[in-house]
Amino acid sequence: VTRFEHTCIVSGLGQSRIGRRLGLSALQLTTESCLNAVADAGLTLADVDGLCTYPGGDAASSAGYGGPPPAAVQDALRLELNWYEGSAELPGQLGALVAAAMAVAAGLCRHVLVYRTVTESTAQGTRARSAVLPGAEAVASGLDYWTAPFGAVSAANWLAPLAGRHFHEYGTTREQLGAVAVTQRAYAQSNPNAVLTKPLTVDDYLAARTISSPLCLLDCDIPVDGSTAFVLSHRSHADGIPHPPVYIEAVGTAMRGRPSWDQYADLASMAAAGAAAHLWERSTLSPGDVDCAQLYDGFSILVLVWLEAMGFCGRGESGPFVAGGALGPAGRLPTNTSGGQLSAGRLHGFGHIHEACSQLRGQAGARQLSPIPQVVAVSAGGGPIAGCLLLTSEPV
Amino acid sequence: MAETIRLEDPLLRRAVPAPDPLSDFFWHSGADGKLRILRCGRCGFHIHPPSTPCPRCLGDDVAPAPVSGLGVVQACTVNVQEWISGQPRYSIAIVELVEQPGLRLTSNVLGCEPEAVHIGQHVRVNFIARNGIHYPVFTPASGRCS
């Protein structure tokens, strides 16, 4: 049985300018990244017949988060589309890529532009971060309904209890979380697009101010402005494109257990476990075949959660695993090699996919791993949000 | 038994839950000093957040029922970041009620230093009356912080 994801390749990659407080419109950044991706795929805009984004126009939970909806991008680029979608209710941010792959596999379209744009740095820079969070005797509804009335207003407040639970159950320490931040900062120094490149030590990490215990400022990703785009194409286009195609070996889209920040049975893992299990159910590969990982790091603790969920280390063993240097360039599993969201910037999941594809193509510049990775795992989401991919440089 | 503690609310602001026919009882239950949780009249399962039918037996005879208000902290954090300027630090805790494994609320533990709140701590419900809501919060069951 052929899996639908084998029908597709990533044929093009593109990014806009990325930085702090660029003061540019989200639409401008988006058209930049999309045009770069289309050119990278050796296509023209007339070839594009699908368009997809996360989270879509009406899903902006805070300023600068949403990016432009598909209709705005379609109009700006005067695209003729056979399929389009903008949605947040997906298996993590990379659910947009999964949706696009399904559309291609279903025969609705052949070349889908998939994009994610954030302008959170500019939005927060002009209005201050507190201004973009609910608070002012606000009405709590939706995802916030059971948490905002108790002052749990930020993702930091929703994930700090998970970190504390992990510490409690497994003896995980702040020094171990700090190893994630320090390792990723070192990678960021080889990424010209990274926004935080000043060398970081564990002592610097331990001295950082607390946001929501046990998480400190350096456990949190850094908001940026920027857009990332991909062209997802039918596999029949794999020959003759300018750059090596990237293959989707498997997707992990499952949601098992209660989709909730506080009701999930295992408060030290949450939804990542189900998505990762689903990924391995769909693949003939196993965790030992993975050369490199790009794991969602909206907060450092999520890297530990994903390492365990995907089976790269045993349950509860992620703290010693990361502190032992496993995530570095010479480690067992080089991870978040762009610097990740903690140091390169919060491109909200799409930066991880971009880095995975760059590494698989052998085009990651000064941070290119050697030998060139052949299998890269990518994950997105935290708490009740989770999705993952296995990308390869050759068909499996 | 601990004395009922007159609580100072450390939060400068509290969001008001949007009206919801299924959940409104939860936010007003504390008016008589009792916490109520939706309970299945057929199999006795406590359902939180409120939903119907009962997820265990699919019975639709569900109604709010008083609970003991006793619980155990399962996970917690001290919020330090001033999302609102001048906000003092406060505890956010996921509390499991003793009535049923996995029956949890996100809430605040008050009546002690936020740093003293810990996993495994036994707590009891209390209420903050504000914004026309009785917010269910918790205090150390021992009446002390440890």
Side-chain angles (χ1 to χ4, degrees):
Chain A
V1 178
T2 301
R3 297 195 294 278
F4 82 89
E5 54 267 53
H6 290 184
T7 314
C8 306
I9 56 167
V10 179
S11 61
L13 310 179
Q15 285 188 316
S16 68
R17 284 165 282 181
I18 293 165
R20 297 277 292 164
R21 301 186 189 185
L22 296 179
L24 300 171
S25 88
L27 182 60
Q28 182 180 358
L29 292 170
T30 305
T31 53
E32 260 184 47
S33 68
C34 285
L35 287 170
N36 287 339
V38 170
D40 184 79
L43 301 173
T44 69
L45 290 174
D47 297 311
V48 173
D49 59 357
L51 187 63
C52 187
T53 192
Y54 178 100
D58 294 324
S61 63
S62 65
Y65 175 83
V73 178
Q74 177 181 8
D75 200 45
L77 298 177
R78 301 297 194 270
L79 300 173
E80 298 287 334
L81 299 176
N82 290 329
W83 176 80
Y84 51 93
E85 177 175 317
S87 175
E89 287 163 293
L90 293 169
Q93 299 84 346
L94 52 70
L97 199 70
V98 176
M102 289 195 287
V104 169
L108 282 170
C109 47
R110 293 187 68 79
H111 298 289
V112 188
L113 258 175
V114 187
Y115 66 92
R116 172 85 181 99
T117 304
V118 287
T119 50
E120 291 179 302
S121 177
T122 290
Q124 294 172 14
T126 52
R127 298 177 55 202
R129 190 151 198 171
S130 58
V132 301
L133 290 164
E137 249 90 56
V139 173
S141 61
L143 266 181
D144 291 338
Y145 184 83
W146 295 101
T147 48
F150 302 99
V153 294
S154 157
N157 299 140
W158 307 331
L159 282 164
L162 182 154
R165 186 76 207 180
H166 203 279
F167 283 26
H168 175 81
E169 287 192 29
Y170 305 122
T172 311
T173 65
R174 285 198 64 220
E175 285 80 356
Q176 290 168 346
L177 280 189
V180 175
V182 168
T183 302
Q184 293 189 199
R185 182 64 59 85
Y187 279 124
Q189 288 161 4
S190 302
N191 177 1
N193 283 330
V195 297
L196 295 178
T197 55
K198 188 181 159 200
L200 186 71
T201 67
V202 171
D203 285 342
D204 296 331
Y205 169 88
L206 292 172
R209 65 187 174 85
T210 302
I211 299 295
S212 192
S213 68
L215 302 180
C216 70
L217 185 66
L218 296 174
D219 291 309
C220 307
D221 59 6
I222 174 84
V224 292
D225 298 339
S227 179
T228 307
F230 307 98
V231 180
L232 196 80
S233 296
H234 192 275
R235 188 165 167 171
S236 59
H237 295 273
D239 294 330
I241 58 175
H243 299 286
V246 170
Y247 294 85
I248 306 174
E249 157 59 12
V251 303
T253 59
M255 171 59 67
R256 297 169 183 170
R258 298 178 69 182
S260 159
W261 292 97
D262 56 7
Q263 303 296 331
Y264 197 87
D266 180 0
L267 287 173
S269 76
M270 301 210 211
H278 189 219
L279 180 88
W280 297 121
E281 289 161 17
R282 292 181 67 79
S283 180
T284 53
L285 300 181
S286 60
D289 296 318
V290 175
D291 302 314
C292 166
Q294 308 297 333
L295 303 179
Y296 189 74
D297 60 338
F299 296 89
S300 59
I301 183 66
L302 294 176
V303 176
L304 273 64
V305 165
W306 276 112
L307 285 168
E308 294 178 18
M310 298 200 79
F312 296 131
C313 63
R315 182 184 158 96
E317 295 171 2
S318 56
F321 186 78
V322 301
L327 309 189
R332 279 171 56 193
L333 186 72
T335 293
N336 292 349
T337 49
S338 70
Q341 293 187 183
L342 296 178
S343 283
R346 174 180 163 80
L347 295 168
H348 212 221
F350 274 46
H352 295 79
I353 307 171
H354 188 277
E355 178 68 8
C357 293
S358 298
Q359 289 285 349
L360 287 164
R361 285 176 167 198
Q363 297 173 348
R367 63 188 186 281
Q368 178 66 49
L369 297 170
S370 179
I372 294 172
Q374 296 177 302
V375 180
V376 180
V378 188
S379 71
I385 304 160
C388 45
L389 298 172
L390 208 53
L391 302 178
T392 59
S393 54
E394 299 289 340
V396 173
Chain B
M1 294 288 284
E3 299 288 312
T4 299
I5 301 167
R6 173 78 183 164
L7 294 171
E8 294 288 326
D9 191 352
L11 271 67
L12 296 183
R13 297 172 185 164
R14 276 191 190 270
V16 177
D20 177 71
L22 205 52
S23 298
D24 283 344
F25 80 87
F26 177 86
W27 301 106
H28 299 287
S29 177
D32 65 358
K34 288 180 180 163
L35 178 65
R36 288 173 177 78
I37 297 288
L38 202 68
R39 186 165 182 266
C40 176
R42 186 156 88 186
C43 76
F45 191 69
H46 288 89
I47 306 160
H48 188 79
S51 63
T52 184
C54 170
R56 188 165 74 175
C57 76
L58 299 185
D60 58 6
D61 173 25
V62 297
V67 291
S68 65
L70 299 175
V72 179
V73 173
Q74 297 295 316
C76 55
T77 181
V78 179
N79 182 74
V80 177
Q81 174 74 10
E82 294 184 19
W83 308 111
I84 302 161
S85 181
Q87 170 64 58
R89 52 184 62 196
Y90 56 93
S91 156
I92 300 166
I94 298 174
V95 173
E96 184 165 293
L97 301 178
V98 298
E99 274 74 13
Q100 180 175 299
L103 181 61
R104 299 185 193 136
L105 312 178
T106 290
S107 182
N108 308 114
V109 177
L110 306 180
C112 68
E113 289 299 314
E115 288 78 7
V117 179
H118 57 273
I119 292 171
Q121 186 174 21
H122 290 258
V123 293
R124 76 171 61 242
V125 78
N126 205 318
F127 297 92
I128 297 280
R130 184 170 171 180
N131 304 330
I133 301 290
H134 282 77
Y135 295 91
V137 296
F138 291 83
T139 58
S142 65
R144 300 190 310 275
C145 292
S146 54

